């Protein structure tokens, strides 16, 4: 069993930055791919950024490329999302997702992730 908790959300003006954290606890030896999803009011959940177990391979949604940076510290079982140059379209609840499956085929598919955090709100104002 793995527990996941996000932190670091808040309100910021357009052009500003925020850093989200996702701390995993429990059976962390099984952690594989970790990722961030977001959901804005009235919209479907969207994959934002993903990072493989070794930390060397990352995947980003086109909408955040060049602005967001995902990273992880395996010693601390923690993943981060540095969000720069935020715009109002980034406003959403951000969820941390963790997969403990040994093989992840579709890294952007929510179904690949078996543990989720409760989410943290990010609000960007113009």
């Amino acid at each position: 069993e793995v527990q996941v908790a996000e932190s670091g959300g808040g309100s910021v003006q357009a052009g500003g930055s925020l850093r989200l954290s996702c701390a995993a606890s429990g059976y962390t030896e099984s952690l594989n791919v970790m990722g961030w999803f977001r959901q804005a009011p009235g919209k479907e959940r969207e994959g934002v950024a993903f990072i493989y177990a070794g930390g060397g391979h990352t995947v980003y949604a086109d909408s955040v490329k060049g602005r967001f940076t995902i990273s992880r510290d395996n010693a601390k079982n923690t993943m981060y999302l540095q969000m720069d140059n935020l715009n109002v379209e980034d406003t959403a609840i951000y969820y941390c997702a963790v997969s403990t499956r040994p093989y992840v085929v579709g890294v952007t598919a929510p179904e690949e992730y078996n543990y989720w955090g409760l989410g943290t709100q990010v609000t960007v104002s113009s």
Side-chain angles (χ1 to χ4, degrees):
E1 191 76 14
V2 176
Q3 294 77 46
V4 176
E6 308 95 338
S7 61
S11 298
V12 65
Q13 287 192 324
S17 299
L18 283 173
R19 188 192 196 206
L20 304 183
S21 298
C22 171
S25 60
Y27 187 48
T28 56
E29 291 82 357
S30 62
L31 297 181
N32 189 358
V33 182
M34 302 178 74
W36 293 95
F37 290 80
R38 68 185 181 186
Q39 188 164 20
K43 294 187 177 181
E44 294 187 355
R45 183 171 43 184
E46 173 191 21
V48 177
F50 307 89
I51 187 165
Y52 284 76
H57 185 54
T58 57
V59 176
Y60 293 94
D62 288 343
S63 59
V64 306
K65 280 181 182 176
R67 301 187 298 121
F68 290 11
T69 303
I70 190 171
S71 61
R72 65 192 283 175
D73 184 337
N74 289 330
K76 297 181 179 179
N77 298 312
T78 301
M79 172 179 65
Y80 306 96
L81 186 67
Q82 177 66 39
M83 305 185 294
D84 297 318
N85 195 20
L86 285 159
N87 56 56
V88 294
E89 290 75 28
D90 295 317
T91 295
I93 299 175
Y94 284 70
Y95 298 92
C96 171
V98 171
S99 178
T100 60
R101 298 182 173 129
Y103 302 104
V104 176
V105 177
V107 69
T108 62
E111 310 84 73
E112 293 283 9
Y113 298 86
N114 45 347
Y115 295 100
W116 293 78
L118 296 179
T120 185
Q121 176 70 47
V122 171
T123 302
V124 185
S125 58
S126 59

